[in-house]
Amino acid sequence: MSLPALFVSHGAPTLPLDRAHPTHAFLKGLASGLERPRAILVISAHWDTRVPTFTTAAHPGTIHDFYGFPEQLYALHYPAPGSAGLAQEAAGLLQAAGLATEMDPARGLDHGAWVPLILAYPEADVPVVQLSVQTRAGAGHHLALGAALKPLRERGVLVVGSGGATHNLREFFQPTPGQDESYVPLFTGWLKDVLERGDRESLRDYRRLAPSAVRAHPTEEHFFPLLVAAGAGDKAERIHTALTGATLAMDAYKFS
């Protein structure tokens, strides 16, 4: 079985409750077009560590890593089993590529992981392991992470990067009068073109080459899960596009 690698924009934590949002419906139907994986490895924007770190808990908890949201959101839990075996398997691939790794037996799944999965795999019956990002290591590091993890796709593992195609929360929550938001489609259009052409060098240098890259991603943690997914795949296809507000692009990609 060969599964694709995926990148999804997880948006606000409230996405599981927001049935009117087109990304809610997209994620609800996502698994129907895929073979059932034996496990899921999810790279979340919301866990940033010094070296690549994997969860190894047998029953990872649901982390509600946000505040000020509706009470029903805190009642949501995603009780998927973990898989120390998958964590060790993935760590072995990274170590073979010269990358140091660590294991975390206590950490659960943050909302970058469970928000998309609670929609795509609501039964929570597929084992899930989470992998951290390393924002200080840069774009090339995350492409290399994905390339090292690529063999997992042939072993029935669904590799999912979860972040945001654009992620400027300051402009989302505090827009200025007359704010020009045309940079959002300019950035996502550049990204689509580069991904579909398989231009890894431009991805490595996206901070300099992409239009308004720093405005689209003032910090980089929501972009790097996309690079892990891209590194784990070959041919890219944009399978979803939407917006939350005018500034948060919710694009999703499949890498076959």
Side-chain angles (χ1 to χ4, degrees), residues 10-222:
H10 60 253
T14 50
L15 186 62
L17 306 178
D18 188 0
R19 295 183 177 171
H21 198 296
T23 303
H24 179 108
F26 162 72
L27 289 170
K28 287 282 284 186
L30 182 61
S32 65
L34 303 171
E35 292 188 63
R36 179 179 170 83
R38 73 170 173 92
I40 299 169
L41 177 66
V42 59
I43 302 92
S44 169
H46 291 279
W47 189 21
D48 195 350
T49 60
R50 183 181 60 86
V51 299
T53 305
F54 297 89
T55 59
T56 60
H59 302 284
T62 302
I63 303 174
H64 298 90
D65 51 337
F66 43 78
Y67 60 92
F69 286 92
E71 282 301 317
Q72 59 264 43
L73 187 59
Y74 299 93
L76 293 180
H77 291 272
Y78 192 69
S83 175
L86 172 58
Q88 293 290 346
E89 183 180 2
L93 291 171
L94 296 190
Q95 290 161 7
L99 295 163
T101 64
E102 292 183 358
M103 302 290 169
D104 190 330
R107 186 181 172 87
L109 304 176
D110 60 50
H111 82 270
W114 66 260
V115 161
L117 294 182
I118 205 170
L119 292 169
Y121 293 93
E123 297 84 3
D125 56 356
V126 179
V128 178
V129 169
Q130 187 171 323
L131 169 61
S132 61
V133 294
Q134 295 77 57
T135 53
R136 292 184 181 181
H141 165 82
H142 290 86
L143 285 166
L145 274 184
L149 295 169
K150 188 174 181 179
L152 293 177
R153 295 176 44 213
E154 300 291 335
R155 305 174 191 176
V157 177
L158 184 64
V159 177
V160 181
S162 176
T166 62
H167 195 259
N168 189 325
L169 291 185
R170 175 173 291 182
E171 291 193 7
F172 178 77
F173 286 114
Q174 299 176 332
T176 57
Q179 179 171 285
D180 180 7
E181 292 147 349
S182 62
Y183 75 92
V184 175
L186 288 174
F187 180 84
T188 57
W190 178 92
L191 182 62
K192 179 177 183 290
D193 174 67
V194 166
L195 289 172
E196 289 179 345
R197 289 192 288 106
D199 185 350
R200 296 290 194 267
E201 292 307 312
S202 289
L203 286 175
R204 285 187 182 90
D205 201 15
Y206 89 98
R207 210 75 174 155
R208 181 175 67 88
L209 297 178
S212 299
V214 175
R215 193 173 171 196
H217 288 280
T219 57
E220 297 183 90
E221 75 285 342
H222 276 73

Side-chain angles (χ1 to χ4, degrees), residues 7-10 15 20-28 30 165 188 192 237-244 248-254:
F7 170 75
V8 297
S9 297
H10 60 253
L15 186 62
H21 198 296
T23 303
H24 179 108
F26 162 72
L27 289 170
K28 287 282 284 186
L30 182 61
T188 57
K192 179 177 183 290
E237 176 189 0
R238 188 164 70 178
I239 55 175
H240 177 69
T241 184
L243 287 169
T244 295
L248 299 185
M250 300 291 290
D251 296 11
Y253 283 88
K254 178 170 70 174

